[in-house]
Amino acid sequence: MTKAPYEEVHTCIQNITYADTYANFIPAALRLIKEKEGTLNLDFLKGWTVPKAQAWLEKLPGVGPKISAYVLNTSRLRMPALIVDTHHWRVAKLLGLINHDTPFEKAASCFERQIPNTWTAKDREDHHFMIKQIGLDFCKDGDLLPFVSAFIS
């Protein structure tokens, strides 16, 4: 995959958001991992803290807080990082879990202070997908009224 042509990578990821961009980032990130570590394996991150591992991953092309958390949390590393995407961020603001002026880049750290330390990687993954699904199913134009109405009526 480190030498895969753009078209081949794009075909594999064509259903994700920003596939055009990530088709370039993925091989570049994989090449950097191989250059730095000698292998395409992230097991060396196992003994690191989540913030330190995320910081290392976020130096790779195309990797920000969401991708780094996703890699740590859902890979075989199973490091408990909270995945926050725009749906999650929007629902959290509407529910008052974070302030309305909280920038997206700070949302994950706000959540981390609120969730129990005992939550595993799986718990954090479930939390992400449940909140994201609420955003997808019920949030329309920044309004949670359809979600709240479902419980009131």
Side-chain angles (χ1 to χ4, degrees):
M1 188 59 99
T2 61
K3 295 179 183 176
Y6 172 89
E7 294 78 20
E8 188 176 329
V9 176
H10 190 272
T11 299
C12 292
I13 64 168
Q14 64 189 343
N15 294 328
I16 70 165
T17 306
Y18 307 117
D20 295 343
T21 303
Y22 282 104
N24 287 316
F25 285 148
I26 292 170
L30 293 175
R31 279 192 300 274
L32 274 174
I33 292 168
K34 187 154 184 169
E35 282 175 24
K36 290 180 179 205
E37 299 305 317
T39 182
L40 284 177
N41 187 320
L42 296 176
D43 286 348
F44 69 93
L45 298 174
K46 279 184 184 172
W48 295 20
T49 65
V50 169
K52 183 178 177 185
Q54 281 189 275
W56 190 92
L57 289 169
E58 289 170 21
K59 291 178 183 172
L60 299 172
V63 178
K66 175 185 163 187
I67 300 293
S68 67
Y70 198 91
V71 167
L72 294 176
N73 197 53
T74 62
S75 70
R76 70 182 185 193
L77 295 170
R78 300 306 285 173
M79 293 172 73
L82 187 62
I83 306 159
V84 177
D85 63 15
T86 54
H87 300 291
H88 200 157
W89 176 57
R90 186 176 70 243
V91 170
K93 289 193 302 183
L94 291 168
L95 290 174
L97 298 174
I98 58 175
N99 292 330
H100 283 278
D101 60 348
T102 301
F104 179 74
E105 300 77 29
K106 301 286 184 198
S109 62
C110 291
F111 280 119
E112 285 291 347
R113 290 191 300 270
Q114 296 176 29
I115 61 175
N117 290 337
T118 57
W119 277 20
T120 64
K122 177 70 171 126
D123 295 329
R124 290 160 194 256
E125 182 180 353
D126 290 346
H127 171 76
H128 165 73
F129 284 112
M130 286 187 294
I131 297 289
K132 179 178 181 172
Q133 200 61 51
I134 289 170
L136 290 169
D137 291 346
F138 297 104
C139 249
K140 303 296 180 223
D141 301 321
D143 183 13
L144 267 180
L145 186 57
F147 176 68
V148 175
S149 297
F151 290 99
I152 296 174
S153 48

